[in-house]
Amino acid sequence: MSNDLNDCFLSYYCNLNEHRMLCLPNQPRGFFDSSSMPLRQILASILGSTASTLLLNPLNVVKIQWQHALSSLSQNSSSTKSISALVSQIYSQSGYRGFYSGVGVSLVQTLPSTVIYMSAYEQIKTQLAQASSSTTASSSSSFQNFLPAIAGGSARLLTVSIMAPMELIRTIRTSGSTEKP
């Protein structure tokens, strides 16, 4: 059923695109053509990553400072003992800016990470699909079911290998700790 729907959509899209190109031959190809696919993936990953980082950074700051407070609880009896008290402490010390502590490092980490992952995922998936199409039909159909998992795992492994040092720096900056790791 979903293949029929995909075929129907692709047929409609191709006819629409062909009609547009016949009617407007001197117009630029547009953002939805396959030639702009890498650019669309990069822009989408940048926008999504930026939005999620800005929305979730306050939660990340509270989580990391809560972990830091719990680790120092045994050493210092005046440490924050509840999350609401910690949120109040962050706000009273730094205002709303305190909840965005480390957001620059987070963006420097997440933007390249997301672009690397999305680009690697699509490239690996495309290469595996091309390789599997050249094999026999019986083994190819079972392999096709695992393509997204293989591509996703491989892309994630590549991304983590490249970006792990940035995660350490971000955690140290966000925790507010002056200790060396």
Side-chain angles (χ1 to χ4, degrees), residues 19 28 35 39 45 47-48 51 72 78 98 101 115 126 132 135 142 164 167-168:
H19 176 71
S35 63
L39 176 62
S45 62
L47 289 174
S72 64
S78 67
S101 168
V115 169
T126 301
S132 72
T135 63
S142 62
E167 174 66 21
L168 177 63

Side-chain angles (χ1 to χ4, degrees), residues 22-66:
L22 289 174
C23 295
L24 305 168
N26 295 327
Q27 296 297 317
R29 294 189 63 98
F31 195 63
F32 293 105
D33 292 333
S34 62
S35 63
S36 67
M37 183 66 79
L39 176 62
R40 284 190 301 158
Q41 291 169 352
I42 290 170
L43 288 175
S45 62
I46 288 172
L47 289 174
S49 181
T50 301
S52 66
T53 299
L54 292 175
L55 288 172
L56 297 176
N57 198 74
L59 296 175
N60 200 27
V61 167
V62 171
K63 177 194 76 153
I64 291 173
Q65 289 194 11
W66 174 254

